[in-house]
């Protein structure tokens, strides 16, 4: 049985954009890439700090990669793998996203 947490406006999220949401004590980044809604825990594996500063989004300038603004690491938004930076080869922790009646949810066991 999963607990569901609504991701507000996920279906309207533009391609290559991200939003931050907080669920209980966790922060998540939700992005739309190649038509898919994907979510990751907002913690860089390098130093377990949030990827983004409170005033900006965790994407590079083109919206192609998730970016840690502390040390510049870039992550593939499709699988969370760090492709460059101090944690190269590490991965962001992916969250499970479900869709029900046109709404997107984070799912927790």
């Amino acid at each position: 049985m999963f607990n569901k947490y609504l991701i507000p406006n996920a279906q309207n999220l533009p391609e290559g954009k991200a939003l931050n949401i907080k669920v209980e004590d966790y922060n998540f980044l939700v992005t739309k890439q190649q038509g898919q809604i994907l979510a990751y825990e907002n913690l860089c594996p390098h130093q377990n700090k949030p990827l983004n500063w409170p005033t900006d989004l965790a994407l590079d300038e083109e919206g192609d990669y998730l970016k840690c603004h502390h040390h510049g690491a870039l992550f593939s938004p499709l699988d969370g793998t760090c492709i460059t930076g101090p944690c190269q080869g590490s991965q962001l922790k992916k969250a499970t996203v479900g869709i029900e009646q046109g709404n997107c949810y984070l799912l927790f066991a």
Side-chain angles (χ1 to χ4, degrees):
M1 181 81 171
F2 285 101
N3 292 319
K4 299 186 301 187
Y5 296 92
L6 180 66
I7 303 170
N9 301 315
Q11 295 295 70
N12 298 326
L13 188 63
E15 187 75 24
K17 298 294 180 187
L19 56 88
N20 296 305
I21 64 169
K22 184 171 180 151
V23 176
E24 298 174 3
D25 293 330
Y26 299 95
N27 289 301
F28 294 92
L29 293 169
V30 178
T31 186
K32 187 181 223 179
Q33 300 288 331
Q34 298 178 3
Q36 294 182 69
I37 302 294
L38 303 161
Y40 296 94
E41 191 172 354
N42 188 4
L43 283 178
C44 179
H46 176 229
Q47 291 184 334
N48 286 325
K49 292 182 178 180
L51 295 176
N52 60 317
W53 301 107
T55 57
D56 64 12
L57 296 176
L59 291 167
D60 68 344
E61 292 75 23
E62 293 80 26
D64 295 333
Y65 298 98
L66 297 170
K67 180 179 180 180
C68 178
H69 289 274
H70 295 282
H71 297 101
L74 295 177
F75 299 86
S76 166
L78 298 177
D79 65 7
T81 300
C82 181
I83 58 169
T84 186
C87 53
Q88 189 167 356
S90 297
Q91 287 189 307
L92 298 172
K93 186 175 178 183
K94 193 169 188 176
T96 303
V97 175
I99 299 176
E100 182 179 279
Q101 298 179 349
N103 293 313
C104 291
Y105 296 88
L106 286 173
L107 303 175
F108 292 91

